[in-house]
Amino acid sequence: MHFFKRILNFDEEAVVRREKRLARRFDLNPESPLSLVILTQDGPVPAKIKDLSSTGIGFELPAGEPALAPGQSCPVRLEIERYSLELNAHVSRVVGSPASSLTIGADLTNNDYPTRRNLVQLLEPIEIGSTLHSIENVSGIETEPGLVSIRYFSSTSSALTVWRDSANREIEGFEWRLNDFYVRSGAVPPEVTIYETDSSGISGGSNFALPTLRLSLEDKSEVRRLFNWIVPHLNAGIPADLREFVSAYRTLGV
């Protein structure tokens, strides 16, 4: 199953590059829509994800469940909305006691390319949200009378521009670049408008020219889904009012 057939449609070389970048462990935000099931011989056992990377997963197994030992095979299934991904996993470390709870670390490197590609696709929104940060002055830059803009960047091809009222600092809107697509807040949440880069309209003279945008004619569900999965992973360094504002534009089940 592809989670994203176009916007994150990586070939094998791109998957390998991203696996290297995504090998760091990402602590999972409690608001994350991603959940985990351990596939035991006695049936599926829900577990709490602690962290996730392209090479491993950490999770907490509830008290009373069968103990796992280092080296043991431990198939898992990641679930998000109506999508799921089964992964081969092998236990690498165990901390705790079955009588209380076990914290398990498991290796995920023994999976085929389609499975690894899908895992990278799941990790992309987690990375975008968890690494988003501003490198500009928090006072913002006045882009038009009465409005200032503040830009946030992540370690991937993503940038968030936020417009605030220059007097009371209330948020007026946002535009989020996700690769070649742009998600712009609508007048009433959760309404958004999705644009894409129109390469035919970009000036050929300067690499610094702003991209020309056009309303996206593609199926917008993938862009919407990526946005929906990023928002719950926004890190605590993002202002609380901004996290709340952007979250109002999130929808489920796309």
Side-chain angles (χ1 to χ4, degrees):
M1 171 195 292
H2 279 278
F3 296 115
F4 303 95
K5 293 182 179 179
R6 182 182 177 195
I7 190 171
L8 299 180
N9 186 24
F10 308 129
D11 59 22
E12 191 159 4
E13 183 179 346
V15 166
V16 170
R17 290 198 305 270
R18 281 169 168 80
E19 283 179 321
K20 293 178 180 178
R21 191 187 74 223
L22 298 169
R24 55 170 284 197
R25 293 293 179 99
F26 295 95
D27 294 329
L28 218 64
N29 191 314
E31 301 299 319
S32 173
L34 192 64
S35 61
L36 175 69
V37 171
I38 312 303
L39 304 175
T40 73
Q41 292 182 344
D42 298 324
V45 176
K48 180 181 179 182
I49 307 177
K50 305 286 286 184
D51 54 67
L52 182 64
S53 76
S54 62
T55 60
I57 186 170
F59 59 90
E60 188 175 298
L61 202 60
E65 297 298 339
L68 295 173
Q72 182 177 343
S73 177
C74 174
V76 301
R77 184 171 66 231
L78 292 168
E79 300 177 338
I80 181 167
E81 296 181 11
R82 66 178 184 274
Y83 301 91
S84 64
L85 175 64
E86 293 193 7
L87 295 153
N88 296 321
H90 290 82
V91 178
S92 55
R93 71 178 190 279
V94 178
V95 178
S97 162
S100 53
S101 66
L102 292 173
T103 299
I104 310 292
D107 182 274
L108 299 178
T109 56
N110 185 28
N111 285 282
D112 60 16
Y113 161 65
T115 303
R116 289 164 40 223
R117 178 200 59 213
N118 285 346
L119 178 57
V120 164
Q121 289 185 342
L122 279 181
L123 283 164
E124 283 283 313
I126 296 174
E127 183 190 34
I128 292 172
S130 63
T131 62
L132 197 70
H133 65 287
S134 176
I135 59 175
E136 298 176 330
N137 189 309
V138 293
S139 63
I141 300 172
E142 188 169 21
T143 53
E144 57 183 282
L147 285 180
V148 295
S149 70
I150 302 174
R151 291 180 299 170
Y152 297 81
F153 302 88
S154 77
S155 56
T156 63
S157 299
S158 173
L160 171 65
T161 301
V162 179
W163 291 280
R164 290 183 180 269
D165 186 287
S166 58
N168 60 27
R169 308 299 295 175
E170 289 186 0
I171 300 171
E172 298 293 332
F174 68 85
E175 181 180 83
W176 205 323
R177 176 173 64 85
L178 302 171
N179 294 337
D180 292 329
F181 293 87
Y182 292 73
V183 178
R184 188 175 295 172
S185 57
V188 180
E191 174 190 330
V192 297
T193 305
I194 296 175
Y195 298 87
E196 60 183 303
T197 303
D198 184 3
S199 57
S200 64
I202 298 178
S203 167
S206 171
N207 290 332
F208 298 100
L210 292 174
T212 301
L213 303 183
R214 62 178 171 86
L215 285 171
S216 178
L217 302 177
E218 301 290 335
D219 179 3
K220 302 177 181 64
S221 61
E222 283 199 7
V223 182
R224 219 350 168 156
R225 188 182 315 132
L226 180 58
F227 172 80
N228 292 341
W229 291 3
I230 291 170
V231 171
H233 297 104
L234 289 174
N235 64 80
I238 303 300
D241 66 335
L242 177 53
R243 282 183 276 131
E244 182 180 356
F245 187 91
V246 173
S247 294
Y249 289 85
R250 181 173 176 255
T251 58
L252 297 176
V254 175

